[in-house]
């Protein structure tokens, strides 16, 4: 689809519903041209007589991007004093009052200044859509919640600002902005992404060739996945196909449960289905005995499940493995995701036998088992 056809297709989508339509550009890394492309599209829409306005754009001082702002209607930002400094945020109320047909909102994963209506900008976008305002926005692949661990494994950096995968589910169109690694490095060296003093640091850290290639692969796969889901929802009738449903077995530990949750969420997205997170509360973690740190980890896990569109199931039992089997029956689970079991003396032989019985029961119920290292 060429650029003119893409713009026309988006306009056709807009007219089908009073609820705002949402177009999302995804990039593999900073500097691939997401903001630039959104401003190009804004000019094309304006030339076609569409009421399009800029709600928020971040040029990062890039000359080409700043030049494209000329001639586009901008909604002034809201000034906020926070900790002795004057900061600027997108003015959500002003956009709602102006009620343009389409608004451009950059930096979707941004965290708003304390005191704003919403904590995150993606929540602002959801509010705009509910007001019937159509939104074009952009995000980099490293900001998607369920990919957090993969991105950290690639880059060695934990990205703090993230958006739930449910935000992508709301998008009517997801478009990849792609560059080859060589093209991106050329842009970086030419000073088109960062100021000269930051270029070498970027080259030796996040912008290494191996990082770019892996992030590019993630971005391409993510957009392909979203297109595939759209085809399944709108074109193909999957008659007679096994309906997949995933179970994430979680505990009160700090890190492993988050990996398991994200894995189950990604699989659920891949199969266009849902997932359940199961926490079995044993007597040693009863309300009056559980440690405060463990309690905090659990709440964070439950919050992550909700953000990724899953359902939390909590049961009280001494028999963790038995509870997993029962939950699989009740929730019609087809695949269980769990961490690697640890067997400690002196009960190790008993636990090994019990675990083998558990795996056998899953197999008898035609339930797949995925063990995360």
């Amino acid at each position: 689809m060429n650029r003119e056809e893409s713009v026309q297709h988006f306009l056709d989508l807009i007219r089908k519903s009073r609820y705002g339509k949402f177009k999302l550009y995804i990039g593999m890394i900073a500097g691939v041209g997401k903001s630039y492309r959104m401003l190009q599209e804004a000019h094309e829409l304006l030339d076609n007589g569409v009421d399009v306005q800029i709600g928020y754009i971040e040029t990062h001082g890039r000359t080409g991007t700043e030049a494209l702002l000329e001639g586009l209607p901008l909604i002034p930002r809201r000034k906020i004093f926070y900790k002795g400094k004057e900061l600027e945020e997108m003015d959500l109320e002003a956009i709602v009052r102006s009620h343009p047909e389409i608004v451009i909102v950059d930096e979707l994963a941004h965290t708003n200044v304390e005191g704003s209506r919403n904590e995150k900008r993606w929540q602002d976008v959801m509010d705009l859509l509910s007001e019937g305002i159509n939104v074009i926005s952009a995000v980099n692949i490293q900001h998607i919640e369920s990919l957090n661990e993969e991105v950290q494994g690639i880059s060695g950096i934990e990205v703090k600002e993230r958006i739930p995968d449910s935000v992508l589910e709301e998008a009517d169109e997801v478009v990849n902005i792609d560059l080859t690694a060589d093209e991106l490095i050329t842009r970086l060296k030419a000073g088109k992404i960062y100021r000269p003093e930051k270029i070498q640091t970027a080259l030796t850290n996040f912008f290494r060739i191996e990082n770019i290639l892996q992030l590019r692969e993630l971005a391409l796969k993510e957009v392909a996945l979203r297109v595939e889901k759209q085809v399944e929802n709108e074109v193909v009738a999957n008659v007679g196909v096994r309906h997949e449903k995933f179970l994430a077995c979680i505990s009160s530990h700090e890190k492993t449960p988050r990996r398991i949750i994200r894995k189950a969420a990604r699989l659920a997205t891949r199969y266009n289905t849902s997932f359940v997170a199961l926490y079995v509360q044993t007597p040693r973690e009863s309300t009056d005995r559980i440690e405060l740190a463990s309690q905090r980890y659990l709440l964070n896990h439950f919050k992550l499940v909700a953000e990724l569109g899953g359902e939390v199931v909590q049961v009280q039992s001494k028999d963790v493995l038995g509870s997993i089997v029962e939950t699989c029956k009740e929730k019609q689970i087809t695949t269980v995701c769990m961490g690697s079991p640890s067997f400690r003396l002196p009960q190790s032989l008993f636990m090994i036998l019990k675990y083998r019985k558990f795996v056998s029961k899953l197999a008898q119920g035609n339930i797949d088992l995925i063990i995360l290292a």
Side-chain angles (χ1 to χ4, degrees), residues 129-274:
L129 294 173
S130 68
E131 292 283 347
I133 299 170
N134 306 293
V135 179
I136 300 174
S137 189
V139 71
N140 282 327
I141 194 72
Q142 63 263 32
H143 296 291
I144 296 173
E145 179 63 65
S146 67
L147 294 174
N148 184 252
E149 257 108 17
E150 286 186 67
V151 171
Q152 189 173 355
I154 291 168
S155 65
I157 299 169
E158 183 182 5
V159 178
K160 299 295 185 183
E161 292 194 314
R162 306 191 291 267
I163 65 168
D165 289 46
S166 57
V167 176
L168 277 76
E169 300 290 339
E170 292 292 325
D172 300 280
E173 284 193 79
V174 178
V175 181
N176 185 41
I177 301 296
D178 187 40
L179 286 177
T180 66
D182 288 341
E183 287 172 327
L184 188 66
I185 293 297
T186 300
R187 281 177 54 80
L188 179 64
K189 289 180 176 178
K192 294 182 178 180
I193 299 176
Y194 294 132
R195 294 192 300 272
E197 62 270 21
K198 289 189 172 183
I199 293 174
Q200 191 54 48
T201 303
L203 284 169
T204 55
N205 290 288
F206 208 71
F207 279 74
R208 295 198 303 270
I209 288 286
E210 60 269 27
N211 285 1
I212 295 169
L213 291 174
Q214 290 178 86
L215 292 170
R216 186 187 186 198
E217 181 186 24
L218 279 183
L220 291 169
K221 283 181 176 179
E222 183 63 32
V223 174
L225 173 60
R226 299 296 161 180
V227 173
E228 184 180 357
K229 285 190 67 176
Q230 189 174 15
V231 169
E232 288 175 355
N233 289 334
E234 298 181 12
V235 181
V236 180
N238 290 312
V239 179
V241 177
R242 182 172 89 150
H243 181 70
E244 302 287 344
K245 194 170 183 181
F246 298 88
L247 180 72
C249 300
I250 64 174
S251 67
S252 60
H253 295 156
E254 181 181 5
K255 294 183 178 179
T256 303
R258 299 182 73 80
R259 292 184 56 237
I260 296 169
I261 291 164
R262 289 187 175 115
K263 179 68 173 180
R266 292 298 297 171
L267 287 167
T269 300
R270 171 67 183 84
Y271 286 93
N272 199 19
T273 186
S274 58

Side-chain angles (χ1 to χ4, degrees), residues 102-118:
I102 302 175
V103 65
I104 306 294
V105 178
D106 206 356
E107 302 281 344
L108 187 63
H110 170 77
T111 300
N112 293 329
V113 174
E114 193 174 315
S116 301
R117 184 204 287 189
N118 296 309

Side-chain angles (χ1 to χ4, degrees), residues 12-27:
D12 291 341
L13 282 172
I14 288 169
R15 298 185 179 102
K16 289 180 182 177
S17 172
R18 289 186 179 180
Y19 187 81
K21 292 295 179 181
F22 183 25
K23 184 172 186 176
L24 182 62
Y25 285 102
I26 291 182

